Amino acid sequence: MPIKNSNKQKNNNKDQQLLTKYYKLEKELYQKKLLSLTDLSFPSFMCIGAQKAGTTWLYANLKKHPEIKLARKEYHYFDKDAKFYTPLKNYCKYFKSRNNKISGDITPSYSVLEKDRIKLIKALMPNLRLIFIMRNPIDRALSAASMRFSKKMKKDINSVSDEDFIDFLSMPGVIKRGRYLQTLENFLTYFNKEQLHIEFYENIKNEPEKLIKRIFSHIQVNPKIDLKGFPLKKVIHKGKNEKFIPHQGVTNFLEETFRNDIDQLKEKFGDVIAHW
């Protein structure tokens, strides 16, 4: 690399490091209430996951409610450093109130946020209403694998070896997304139980009207509106390989990985997930 280009790259790296420090300090000042939040707008509710558990269905139905304004689905402001280390106003510009409508942030990756980021969210949005949809973590992981291999890598999922499957399923990010008890513990460290509403993926199929009305009530919009025209029974982004049958080695790996979590979840939530 020519010396001139090398120096330019070094200067760019230094500039980026300075910006990162600056916007990290900005968040700390907001958190400590040394900067005013008065002129900033925030979402009224946040769906924190789980990934591959019906959050796109939720988005499609919430945006139909006349009291809700959703500019987009996933913002990734708090989980991706490239966005987090930018001005907070970059995030807030999406949530300016219009016609008294409320707004929300549906970003499933927030389920794996570290506690320091959750603490910041609580400081910025003390009255935030949270939504968390759980899906059997084994099925969730298999659905994530299906998306990875068939949609992103354009592979016939039936041709993927057990070794490749398990390599993907072993990734910390994949496993962490199925550790629902850890997600609950992390968020309930800062938010009270009344702020967190939990639903289950199966009820999107079994009782979609009741489920969406429970969520309407939780986020404090009218739950008694006419649901005609809502895509309650529409399958959003269905993968063509969602029902593939994994080999026994893959199933055994996932059973071993998540069995203890599932047993604890059954103790906590009872019959609604007895079939997991």
Side-chain angles (χ1 to χ4, degrees):
M1 178 183 291
I3 294 176
K4 185 176 181 180
N5 287 342
S6 177
N7 288 336
K8 183 177 180 180
Q9 183 63 44
K10 287 180 180 179
N11 289 334
N12 288 339
N13 290 340
K14 287 181 179 179
D15 289 345
Q16 186 57 53
Q17 289 172 5
L18 286 172
L19 284 172
T20 296
K21 289 180 180 179
Y22 178 84
Y23 290 119
K24 183 178 181 180
L25 176 61
E26 179 204 47
K27 305 297 188 299
E28 292 174 356
L29 292 174
Y30 278 121
Q31 187 165 333
K32 294 177 180 179
K33 303 186 186 306
L34 296 174
L35 285 178
S36 174
L37 297 171
T38 304
D39 295 328
L40 297 177
S41 301
F42 293 97
S44 297
F45 65 89
M46 186 177 284
C47 179
I48 58 173
Q51 184 193 57
K52 307 303 293 180
T55 57
T56 302
W57 175 91
L58 179 64
Y59 169 76
N61 281 279
L62 288 179
K63 69 187 296 188
K64 288 286 187 178
H65 196 292
E67 297 171 23
I68 299 173
K69 177 185 75 72
L70 296 176
R72 56 193 284 187
K73 181 173 180 262
E74 301 184 27
Y75 291 92
H76 290 287
Y77 186 80
F78 293 98
D79 65 306
K80 291 190 175 180
D81 286 352
K83 292 188 176 183
F84 186 74
Y85 293 119
T86 64
L88 186 59
K89 65 181 181 181
N90 286 1
Y91 177 68
C92 294
K93 67 184 179 182
Y94 294 103
F95 305 107
K96 292 181 179 179
S97 178
R98 293 179 183 174
N99 301 320
N100 294 319
K101 292 186 178 185
I102 68 168
S103 56
D105 180 350
I106 302 174
T107 304
S109 297
Y110 290 168
S111 67
V112 294
L113 285 175
E114 297 297 332
K115 283 188 174 182
D116 61 333
R117 298 279 172 99
I118 299 172
K119 184 178 181 180
L120 172 64
I121 291 172
K122 173 63 173 175
L124 298 174
M125 298 166 257
N127 299 315
L128 186 68
R129 315 294 284 184
L130 299 169
I131 304 162
F132 188 44
I133 306 175
M134 295 188 201
R135 180 181 186 178
N136 183 319
I138 293 174
D139 295 339
R140 193 220 67 78
L142 289 172
S143 182
S146 176
M147 181 176 70
R148 160 85 170 186
F149 290 113
S150 64
K151 288 187 177 182
K152 293 186 176 180
M153 300 181 69
K154 308 298 183 184
K155 288 187 176 183
D156 176 358
I157 201 164
N158 295 309
S159 70
V160 178
S161 69
D162 286 6
E163 182 180 4
D164 286 345
F165 255 118
I166 292 174
D167 281 348
F168 171 74
L169 295 169
S170 301
M171 294 172 64
V174 176
I175 294 174
K176 195 174 181 181
R177 280 172 169 76
R179 302 292 194 203
Y180 305 146
L181 290 167
Q182 188 63 60
T183 295
L184 295 177
E185 178 185 329
N186 289 346
F187 274 87
L188 291 175
T189 299
Y190 303 103
F191 290 89
N192 62 54
K193 291 182 180 180
E194 290 71 29
Q195 288 178 273
L196 175 60
H197 181 76
I198 296 170
E199 288 289 349
F200 298 93
Y201 177 79
E202 290 82 357
N203 286 335
I204 292 176
K205 179 180 179 180
N206 298 336
E207 51 179 41
E209 296 90 351
K210 291 181 180 179
L211 185 154
I212 199 66
K213 287 186 175 184
R214 288 194 294 267
I215 291 176
F216 287 160
S217 294
H218 177 65
I219 63 177
Q220 301 175 327
V221 295
N222 183 10
K224 296 181 180 180
I225 64 167
D226 184 356
L227 296 176
K228 183 179 180 180
F230 281 66
L232 292 169
K233 297 183 179 180
K234 184 177 180 180
V235 179
I236 310 291
H237 292 173
K238 181 178 180 181
K240 63 181 179 179
N241 293 310
E242 281 276 333
K243 295 185 178 180
F244 77 95
I245 300 176
H247 294 162
Q248 192 61 46
V250 174
T251 302
N252 289 344
F253 169 79
L254 289 172
E255 286 279 353
E256 182 178 343
T257 300
F258 290 114
R259 179 48 50 196
N260 185 54
D261 292 77
I262 290 173
D263 288 343
Q264 290 184 61
L265 287 165
K266 286 181 177 180
E267 287 182 17
K268 187 175 183 67
F269 295 103
D271 291 345
V272 67
I273 56 171
H275 59 287
W276 283 12

